[in-house]
Amino acid sequence: MDDIFLTTIEVIGTIAFAISGIRLAAAKEFDWFGAYTIGLVTAIGGGTLRDVLLDITVFWMETPLYLLVTGLSLALVIIFRKTLVRFNRTLFLFDAIGLALFVVIGIQKSLACGFPMWVAIAMGMITGSFGGVTRDILINEEPLFFRKDIYATACIAGGIIYWIIDCAGGSPVLQQSACAVTVIGLRVCAIRYNWALPVLKYERKNDTDRQ
Amino acid sequence: MDDIFLTTIEVIGTIAFAISGIRLAAAKEFDWFGAYTIGLVTAIGGGTLRDVLLDITVFWMETPLYLLVTGLSLALVIIFRKTLVRFNRTLFLFDAIGLALFVVIGIQKSLACGFPMWVAIAMGMITGSFGGVTRDILINEEPLFFRKDIYATACIAGGIIYWIIDCAGGSPVLQQSACAVTVIGLRVCAIRYNWALPVLKYERKNDTDRQ
Amino acid sequence: MDDIFLTTIEVIGTIAFAISGIRLAAAKEFDWFGAYTIGLVTAIGGGTLRDVLLDITVFWMETPLYLLVTGLSLALVIIFRKTLVRFNRTLFLFDAIGLALFVVIGIQKSLACGFPMWVAIAMGMITGSFGGVTRDILINEEPLFFRKDIYATACIAGGIIYWIIDCAGGSPVLQQSACAVTVIGLRVCAIRYNWALPVLKYERKNDTDRQ
């Protein structure tokens, strides 16, 4: 029962991530296969790096589910191209839910491998963010990740909540739920209230060199 | 006997891939070492990602052959710079043959690791394509991969032929030959007849946001 | 005693690498977290790829030292923003020392894994250079690596010196010191005397196609 629920959420998250990649690829006039690849990389890139770093079998090599779901996402974009734009808010919510679940999965997998909590939080962040970074590199755009609203920071905040509840002796379900709610809440607030981290100030190197 | 034949083809494929990388690097006025690196990444990038994902020893760390062959390729480009342009067709054919062999090797290695056929096809595609994608990222160009003529698609088509003949009970040699012929044939046709996949249509997001 | 010395040097090298990444990120107006990530990738990227290729536990997952030191580097850049520019020469020297130590560590780790010397030299080079390449990809700049003054070449030269002294029967300490001195010396000379490798000449493809 619980497994079906988790898998359903994971599939929804994968579709949301894949669609975000496919739509960016479409904006660059990629062909179908290129768009599929960008969608796939967005959806599975983070988990792939996580599994390589954890030195375990890469998750998408154990079941064709993720390749199929990405194919489904491509079909959705091709067929519902014109109506899809009306669902931007829904897609954003799916994306936030997917992100939250990816973070929880990343943390759990790392802990199961015997790594300490700080590694698990880093892996949760990598699972959630690295797919989008790879997508931006492949379409040759500067990764939004480094400028945009709270994103990776939301993953880390979720991980820290997970840790605090763990230390306080909370049950695993509570840890996971609180972590997920934190990630989703921060994402929604970041978009709604334009939350952002401070920009790093810079001393021009040219002026410096002249000194 | 068979091994010598396969190694010869593999060396030819590696040289063709390396030369394609080195020439692109030369167009960007890289220095010798930079050009060598780009050539090397083009030639071994796909197999490296494949071996990392399969969690086996990376192939080029077992024999210096690939580093030496890339050095030979650099020497060829430096020495025969002016005459090389006349052999563009020959180089394209070498490239197609190398691609086909890389796909066959990727499939065989994955099956030998106990992965199912759909993983093997994905690995065949990665072995053939990922080197070129990394090359394009390193020279800061948008990967041609996502727009150009049938390339990764040819790798996948070859893999599917391999699978069909496997299911039909064909011998390993037949599987490999048919797979290679499919890849080479599709590449030649794609260039000759300008075959391409359909481009993904796009609804402008700006118009959307205004609604 | 020796360990404390090595760790101190390694921390200094990590800070120098991280600061170089953080300052480039600041020039692109990244936010704090983006700058931290770029600094971290610059400092640990090379060792991460090395450990993945060697198939051993990635070094920064064994101790939080590297994540903390990068945080310290970010704090240094934020606090001493204006005075830091006066220390460009010191930072360059730290960077050269860090590079030299990263090369030595890369070589030693590879040999300890049972790989031959030529693999170890390649890993020394990867440890020293790959972080900077990833940094340049993430900030969407063409990797300087491929054009700039002797950099990866210095790593390889250091590795070859290591090898020669090994073959000549020199002690491990002598091998490591000579390797490090070579890397630092070549870096200093490259900057001071503008040493560079020859650029690869290029025959225009357009002219070619017209023939």
Side-chain angles (χ1 to χ4, degrees):
Chain A
M1 190 62 195
D2 215 41
D3 264 12
I4 294 174
F5 177 71
L6 273 183
T7 307
T8 308
I9 300 275
E10 203 181 358
V11 165
I12 289 176
T14 303
I15 291 176
F17 271 52
I19 287 181
S20 93
I22 291 167
R23 291 175 81 188
L24 279 173
K28 290 235 160 186
E29 307 202 329
F30 283 15
D31 65 31
W32 286 16
F33 187 81
Y36 176 85
T37 310
I38 298 289
L40 188 65
V41 164
T42 311
I44 71 172
T48 303
L49 179 58
R50 175 200 64 211
D51 290 348
V52 166
L53 290 176
L54 295 178
D55 205 9
I56 58 178
T57 305
V58 177
F59 72 104
W60 60 263
M61 289 164 67
E62 292 183 315
T63 158
L65 182 65
Y66 301 94
L67 303 194
L68 296 174
V69 163
T70 304
L72 178 68
S73 308
L74 179 63
L76 285 175
V77 173
I78 292 171
I79 298 169
F80 297 109
R81 183 160 56 89
K82 286 184 184 174
T83 37
L84 210 61
V85 291
R86 282 189 228 135
F87 295 101
N88 273 343
R89 279 193 189 188
T90 316
L91 283 174
F92 166 73
L93 204 64
F94 281 0
D95 193 272
I97 294 170
L99 180 67
L101 193 86
F102 283 8
V103 171
V104 171
I105 292 172
I107 292 173
Q108 285 182 297
K109 271 205 164 185
S110 309
L111 295 177
C113 289
F115 283 100
M117 197 65 206
W118 65 269
V119 171
I121 294 175
M123 290 299 147
M125 195 273 274
I126 286 174
T127 312
S129 314
F130 187 73
V133 172
T134 317
R135 174 198 65 207
D136 293 341
I137 291 173
L138 286 177
I139 61 174
N140 205 15
E141 297 278 336
E142 189 178 280
L144 276 177
F145 173 71
F146 300 115
R147 300 208 192 180
K148 232 179 71 182
D149 41 69
I150 314 282
Y151 196 94
T153 324
C155 302
I156 290 178
I160 290 171
I161 295 291
Y162 194 110
W163 196 354
I164 290 171
I165 295 177
D166 186 32
C167 293
S171 71
V173 172
L174 184 63
Q175 290 168 32
Q176 294 160 23
S177 317
C179 169
V181 167
T182 306
V183 175
I184 296 170
L186 278 174
R187 283 297 296 147
V188 170
C189 290
I191 294 296
R192 195 171 193 115
Y193 306 111
N194 272 316
W195 285 0
L197 292 176
V199 165
L200 199 58
K201 295 246 176 54
Y202 176 63
E203 294 299 306
R204 297 217 148 271
K205 220 184 167 183
N206 293 348
D207 300 342
T208 306
D209 290 348
R210 265 185 246 135
Q211 283 168 1
Chain B
M1 189 62 193
D2 215 40
D3 265 11
I4 294 175
F5 177 71
L6 274 182
T7 307
T8 309
I9 299 277
E10 203 181 358
V11 165
I12 289 176
T14 303
I15 291 176
F17 271 52
I19 286 180
S20 94
I22 291 166
R23 290 175 82 189
L24 280 173
K28 290 235 160 184
E29 306 201 329
F30 283 16
D31 65 31
W32 287 16
F33 187 81
Y36 177 84
T37 310
I38 297 288
L40 188 65
V41 164
T42 311
I44 72 173
T48 303
L49 179 58
R50 175 201 64 211
D51 290 348
V52 166
L53 291 176
L54 295 179
D55 205 9
I56 57 179
T57 306
V58 176
F59 72 104
W60 60 263
M61 290 164 68
E62 292 184 315
T63 158
L65 181 66
Y66 301 94
L67 304 194
L68 296 175
V69 163
T70 304
L72 176 68
S73 307
L74 179 63
L76 284 175
V77 173
I78 292 171
I79 298 169
F80 298 108
R81 183 160 56 89
K82 287 184 183 173
T83 38
L84 211 60
V85 292
R86 283 189 228 136
F87 295 100
N88 274 343
R89 280 195 187 185
T90 316
L91 282 173
F92 166 74
L93 203 64
F94 281 0
D95 193 272
I97 294 170
L99 180 67
L101 194 87
F102 283 8
V103 171
V104 171
I105 292 171
I107 292 174
Q108 284 183 297
K109 271 205 163 184
S110 309
L111 295 177
C113 288
F115 284 100
M117 197 65 206
W118 66 268
V119 171
I121 294 176
M123 290 300 147
M125 195 272 275
I126 286 174
T127 312
S129 314
F130 186 72
V133 173
T134 317
R135 174 198 64 207
D136 293 342
I137 291 173
L138 286 177
I139 60 174
N140 205 14
E141 298 279 337
E142 190 177 278
L144 277 177
F145 173 71
F146 299 116
R147 300 208 190 181
K148 233 179 72 183
D149 41 68
I150 315 282
Y151 196 94
T153 324
C155 302
I156 290 177
I160 290 171
I161 295 292
Y162 193 110
W163 197 354
I164 290 172
I165 295 177
D166 185 33
C167 295
S171 72
V173 172
L174 185 62
Q175 291 168 31
Q176 295 160 23
S177 315
C179 169
V181 166
T182 307
V183 175
I184 296 170
L186 278 174
R187 283 298 296 148
V188 170
C189 289
I191 294 296
R192 196 173 191 115
Y193 305 112
N194 273 315
W195 284 0
L197 292 177
V199 165
L200 199 58
K201 295 245 177 52
Y202 177 63
E203 293 298 307
R204 299 216 149 272
K205 220 183 165 181
N206 293 349
D207 299 342
T208 306
D209 289 348
R210 264 185 246 135
Q211 283 167 2
Chain C
M1 190 62 194
D2 214 39
D3 264 11
I4 295 174
F5 177 71
L6 273 183
T7 305
T8 309
I9 299 277
E10 203 180 359
V11 166
I12 290 175
T14 303
I15 291 177
F17 271 53
I19 287 181
S20 94
I22 291 166
R23 291 175 81 189
L24 279 173
K28 290 235 159 186
E29 308 201 328
F30 283 15
D31 66 31
W32 287 16
F33 187 80
Y36 177 85
T37 310
I38 297 288
L40 188 64
V41 164
T42 310
I44 71 173
T48 303
L49 178 57
R50 174 200 64 211
D51 290 348
V52 167
L53 291 177
L54 295 179
D55 204 10
I56 57 179
T57 305
V58 176
F59 72 103
W60 60 264
M61 290 164 67
E62 292 184 315
T63 158
L65 181 67
Y66 301 94
L67 304 194
L68 296 175
V69 163
T70 304
L72 176 69
S73 308
L74 179 62
L76 284 176
V77 173
I78 292 171
I79 299 169
F80 298 108
R81 183 161 56 88
K82 286 184 183 174
T83 38
L84 210 61
V85 292
R86 282 189 227 136
F87 295 101
N88 273 342
R89 280 193 187 186
T90 316
L91 283 173
F92 166 73
L93 204 64
F94 281 180
D95 193 272
I97 294 170
L99 179 66
L101 193 87
F102 283 9
V103 171
V104 170
I105 293 171
I107 292 174
Q108 285 182 297
K109 271 204 163 186
S110 309
L111 295 177
C113 288
F115 282 101
M117 197 65 205
W118 65 268
V119 171
I121 294 176
M123 290 300 147
M125 195 272 275
I126 286 174
T127 312
S129 314
F130 187 72
V133 172
T134 317
R135 175 198 64 208
D136 293 342
I137 291 173
L138 286 176
I139 61 174
N140 205 14
E141 297 279 335
E142 189 178 278
L144 277 177
F145 173 71
F146 300 116
R147 300 206 189 183
K148 231 180 72 184
D149 41 68
I150 314 283
Y151 196 93
T153 323
C155 303
I156 291 178
I160 290 172
I161 295 291
Y162 193 110
W163 197 353
I164 290 172
I165 295 177
D166 185 33
C167 294
S171 71
V173 172
L174 184 63
Q175 290 168 31
Q176 295 160 23
S177 317
C179 170
V181 166
T182 307
V183 174
I184 296 171
L186 279 174
R187 284 297 297 146
V188 170
C189 289
I191 294 297
R192 196 171 192 117
Y193 305 113
N194 273 314
W195 285 0
L197 291 177
V199 165
L200 199 57
K201 295 245 176 54
Y202 176 63
E203 294 298 307
R204 298 215 150 272
K205 219 182 167 184
N206 294 348
D207 300 341
T208 305
D209 290 348
R210 265 184 247 136
Q211 283 169 3

